[in-house]
Amino acid sequence: MSRNYAGLSRERIIVEALHIIAGRGLGGLSMRRLGDALDVEAMAIYHHFPRGKEQLFNAIAAYVTTARVVSGLTEGQGPPEEEEPGSEEAPAEAAEADDRPWDERLTTWAEAYRARLLTYSGALSLLMHRAPHTLGEEDTRALLRTAFTEAGLAGTDVPRACDALHSYCLGSVAHQVRHQGQEDSPDEAEALARFRFGLRALLGGLSG
């Protein structure tokens, strides 16, 4: 059977993979099922991900967590997945362009990151085991480092604070997803209020 491969891109593959994960779980994702969903042969997917499912998983993790998408750009404006860091771009300068107080910038980032993790909550288990190494991730690190430095932290306290914030966001979303559907689970408004409460406590403690 002839299939139309026109328009097949890495991003289209990743987005469809996330749809499958949302409906069937991570274990339900296979290259054959993904090809059927995209109406292409599985080998067409390997053209974009020659190292197979592990490379695809890394790209999914990068797509979900990429800083530029979390910061409000459209899906198509995210950086190429698995892009190697080290270009001559200056992500720290982009982070410094926002002149709001450091805690407001981190709150905006954390809430956007939470929203993205909830949107793709089926991929949470991937994020627990994979740390993307992309220019988008470098942008995130620069944003967090700059903000925590402005908060008065220095030396090893800066990366420790970055780890604490990342861990809080991931853990909070995992906790919310795990309890969804239970009688005592909060609605989204209350869940967001609890997230903000914990975030204020965390940022206040780190800068205190």
Side-chain angles (χ1 to χ4, degrees), residues 47-71:
H47 173 75
H48 293 276
F49 298 99
R51 297 196 298 276
K53 189 182 285 189
E54 282 300 307
Q55 186 181 11
L56 175 60
F57 283 166
N58 289 336
I60 290 171
Y63 181 84
V64 172
T65 61
T66 181
R68 276 172 275 184
V69 175
V70 168
S71 296

Side-chain angles (χ1 to χ4, degrees), residues 114-136:
R114 171 186 177 271
R116 188 140 178 103
L117 292 176
L118 285 171
T119 298
Y120 299 116
S121 59
L124 278 175
S125 60
L126 280 178
L127 303 181
M128 298 296 182
H129 297 91
R130 287 171 169 79
H133 297 288
T134 66
L135 290 179

